[in-house]
Amino acid sequence: MPREKDNWSTRAVNLQGKYNTKEVWHDAVGEALHPHTNYFVGGNTKFYGAALFRLRREDFGELKHWGGVSPAWPISYEDMEPYYTAAERLYHVHGERGADPTDPPAGAPYPHPPVSHEPRIQQLADDFARLGCRPFHVPLGIMLDEGNPGRSRCIRCGTCDGHPCLVAAKSDAQVVCVDPALEQPNVTLLTRAMVKRLETIPSGREVARIAVERDGAEEIYAADIVVAACGAINSAALLLRSANDRHPRGLANGSDVVGRHYMGHVNSALMAVSKCPNPTIFQKTLGLNDFYFGSEDWDHPMGHISFVGKLDGDTLRGGAPAIAPGWTLDLMARHSLDFWLTSEDLPAWDNRVTLDQNGGIVLAYQPNNEEAHRRLTAKLKSLMARQSKCGVHGHECHEGLFARNLFLGQRIPLAGVAHQNGTVRFGFDPRTSALDANCKAHEVDNLYVVDGSFFPSSAAVNPALTIMANALRVGDHLKTRLA
Ligand SMILES: Cc1cc2nc3c(=O)[nH]c(=O)nc-3n(C[C@H](O)[C@H](O)[C@H](O)COP(=O)(O)OP(=O)(O)OC[C@H]3O[C@@H](n4cnc5c(N)ncnc54)[C@H](O)[C@@H]3O)c2cc1C
Ligand code: SF4
């Protein structure tokens, strides 16, 4: 990732998409898709908002949703718990245990105190609490020391979510894991290296050759153990590209699940515009999970409410929302609270990654479980209409909620692949999963897939901490195997 001033430019990052891959994918009907993803060291954590949630304990079991069943995982929350604790320590997570009513039990307190709310967000938290909700501080992986701001690595800036951190204070995978690993004498990192195919020995039971394209030339590597960690879409694409006589539907794909069950959450960004301005700089501190599993009037899970980084006029120009009469984009951005709503999408057989005849990625996706998302949006609308803490306007301060189409001309679920998961699911049964409980391919003895692919269900909180914790879990297994 080049380190340069544009890292913190909303114009360069959001409007011009400077760091996005220039790859063009296609949707199910052949329309071009410009994916909002990047291919730098550290992957999408370079750009993430660092909201680092554990899945809820119940997310590991089977959950009934309005749109169908969210399947159980082959491991329990208790299996993952020690690794969540380790991942939170590794990624410097700041949070407050137990304030979120859906928090699962944890083996240790958060390693750092929660990130404070700025005054407008605190006002909203107070309003939510007065209305009977239990707002909480979002667990965040940023290296902020509010007790000692002069020495804090993180300066609490307004360009965190969606941007790389210019001062290396965001707990991303490069800063926290890759760079320290490179200090070891036996670790080598190849950049500009795209793995094109994995080739097996004649029996098909082992990967023998890793074919890499590097600066236009092919290079071949070999390893005793091979771990694919390309992100859910690209790991599936790699296995599909690696089809051979023994694996005619794609490597490790006797079950035909590779590429299928793609999930990415039902997400929307909603701007709540108030008469009073919202001068918040770092906005992503408040979360609400009161409707995660349902409510008194609806007995199905709805999802999670939190924030995106503070939007500005430049960012809005990249996907202009319906503008309230008398407002400009800049003015709206100065007065908006910018919510991020997440509901669980369910694993559907036909929501899938395939390849076109040139080996390019095709992503077919029909959103499901949308009623949950509509209900969640209605809950937020109702709460916002009942705010009263504004000393100037009372509850009249709130002007309304506006959909913010983050991605101009493209539906969020398709080009917005930020939360991609599910395409190489793990499970006990080789007929219905590609990976075993250790994320090893059922059909290949030395191949593991360790990224967002393994999720059998997507839950409704952000995925990265679970991907990190699982990587540590599989790491322990590999240590035993290699001993
Ligand atoms: C703007 C944004 C905000 C987000 N905010 C949050 C958040 O607040 N909280 C949260 O939990 N999650 C968030 N996410 C999601 C989070 O970043 C991802 O869930 C996480 O990074 C996925 O990790 P991964 O290992 O599966 O894949 P990735 O992070 O995508 O890493 C895959 C890596 O593989 C490389 N690669 C791909 N194909 C190949 C190939 N064929 N050969 C060689 N290398 C290859 C890529 O270059 C990349 O470095 C956000 C994502 C985005 C884009
Ligand atoms: S300085 Fe802090 S708030 Fe700004 S990008 Fe870095 S980690 Fe995020």
Side-chain angles (χ1 to χ4, degrees):
M1 173 86 220
R3 188 163 179 231
E4 57 192 12
K5 229 175 146 188
D6 269 355
N7 289 179
W8 276 353
S9 157
T10 51
R11 176 172 285 268
V13 172
N14 294 329
L15 197 58
Q16 295 163 355
K18 177 169 181 176
Y19 303 113
N20 289 349
T21 175
K22 302 298 174 275
E23 259 179 21
V24 180
W25 301 350
H26 290 90
D27 68 10
V29 294
E31 292 287 331
L33 197 64
H34 301 276
H36 291 247
T37 191
N38 76 88
Y39 294 148
F40 292 105
V41 174
N44 282 291
T45 64
K46 290 307 286 178
F47 290 81
Y48 77 166
L52 291 176
F53 282 93
R54 297 173 178 222
L55 296 196
R56 315 294 88 180
R57 182 190 219 157
E58 296 82 345
D59 288 324
F60 286 78
E62 187 177 289
L63 270 178
K64 281 208 178 66
H65 282 252
W66 176 85
V69 169
S70 166
W73 289 36
I75 59 172
S76 67
Y77 173 75
E78 283 65 30
D79 294 325
M80 196 69 108
E81 198 290 322
Y83 298 103
Y84 274 133
T85 298
E88 285 170 347
R89 202 169 305 130
L90 186 61
Y91 277 79
H92 306 266
V93 181
H94 293 54
E96 185 185 9
R97 209 65 91 194
D100 172 354
T102 64
D103 253 354
Y110 279 111
H112 302 279
V115 176
S116 65
H117 298 316
E118 289 174 49
R120 178 66 186 97
I121 303 299
Q122 185 61 55
Q123 177 185 322
L124 184 70
D126 294 344
D127 257 328
F128 282 168
R130 189 185 49 78
L131 293 167
C133 293
R134 285 155 294 173
F136 59 88
H137 291 264
V138 167
L140 287 166
I142 56 175
M143 298 175 210
L144 177 68
D145 183 354
E146 295 192 88
N148 196 352
R151 295 182 63 86
S152 172
R153 196 157 153 183
C154 164
I155 59 164
R156 195 178 177 132
C157 72
T159 44
C160 193
D161 194 11
H163 296 254
C165 180
L166 200 41
V167 295
K170 175 150 65 179
S171 305
D172 67 43
Q174 180 191 5
V175 168
V176 167
C177 291
V178 178
D179 287 348
L182 288 173
E183 287 166 15
Q184 303 297 320
N186 59 348
V187 178
T188 306
L189 173 70
L190 296 182
T191 54
R192 308 182 316 282
M194 184 191 184
V195 181
K196 301 293 280 188
R197 280 177 61 81
L198 302 176
E199 294 170 5
T200 65
I201 57 174
S203 73
R205 289 297 318 185
E206 256 181 46
V207 174
R209 287 159 46 98
I210 301 140
V212 169
E213 186 182 286
R214 193 148 186 254
D215 300 330
E218 187 182 72
E219 297 178 4
I220 300 293
Y221 294 87
D224 293 335
I225 289 178
V226 176
V227 179
C230 309
I233 293 173
N234 272 295
S235 279
L238 175 61
L239 298 188
L240 294 173
R241 274 202 309 269
S242 304
N244 62 25
D245 287 350
R246 290 285 173 173
H247 299 271
R249 284 197 286 214
L251 190 57
N253 194 23
S255 60
D256 195 21
V257 300
V258 171
R260 295 189 184 272
H261 307 116
Y262 169 79
M263 294 167 280
H265 286 150
V266 186
N267 281 319
S268 52
L270 289 172
M271 300 171 68
V273 178
S274 312
K275 289 196 176 70
C276 287
N278 172 16
T280 307
I281 293 170
F282 188 94
Q283 183 175 244
K284 212 173 157 129
T285 56
L286 177 70
L288 205 61
N289 272 341
D290 290 83
F291 312 112
Y292 195 87
F293 293 115
S295 62
E296 273 176 13
D297 54 352
W298 207 58
D299 194 20
H300 295 289
M302 281 178 249
H304 164 69
I305 297 174
S306 60
F307 279 85
V308 288
K310 185 72 204 83
L311 298 175
D312 66 1
D314 274 339
T315 305
L316 288 182
R317 270 180 273 281
I323 299 185
W327 294 76
T328 64
L329 290 179
D330 288 315
L331 194 61
M332 261 182 98
R334 280 202 297 276
H335 286 252
S336 63
L337 288 157
D338 313 294
F339 288 97
W340 181 249
L341 274 62
T342 305
S343 303
E344 179 161 350
D345 55 346
L346 302 167
W349 182 250
D350 288 328
N351 283 347
R352 65 185 298 205
V353 178
T354 51
L355 302 176
D356 61 23
Q357 59 273 39
N358 305 315
I361 289 173
V362 178
L363 185 58
Y365 181 79
Q366 281 295 330
N368 57 42
N369 206 23
E370 288 176 297
E371 181 62 17
H373 202 65
R374 276 192 286 274
R375 299 262 179 169
L376 186 65
T377 309
K379 288 287 182 199
L380 178 62
K381 270 191 185 147
S382 154
L383 288 174
M384 294 307 288
R386 289 184 285 146
Q387 291 176 93
S388 62
K389 213 158 176 255
C390 169
V392 184
H393 309 101
H395 72 267
E396 297 294 324
C397 192
H398 175 61
E399 296 257 332
L401 274 179
F402 299 87
R404 149 81 167 96
N405 182 4
L406 277 168
F407 308 122
L408 181 66
Q410 298 147 358
R411 291 178 306 143
I412 290 178
L414 218 46
V417 291
H419 289 185
Q420 57 183 278
N421 67 84
T423 50
V424 195
R425 51 163 46 180
F426 77 157
F428 293 122
D429 187 345
R431 288 167 306 179
T432 54
S433 59
L435 307 174
D436 69 14
N438 289 320
C439 292
K440 186 189 83 61
H442 289 298
E443 296 164 14
V444 185
D445 296 329
N446 67 343
L447 174 65
Y448 292 78
V449 182
V450 188
D451 52 24
S453 310
F454 76 104
F455 285 37
S457 67
S458 68
V461 286
N462 314 45
L465 189 75
T466 302
I467 299 170
M468 294 157 180
N470 185 57
L472 296 176
R473 186 182 70 92
V474 177
D476 262 2
H477 159 78
L478 288 176
K479 262 199 317 211
T480 316
R481 180 171 166 170
L482 289 168

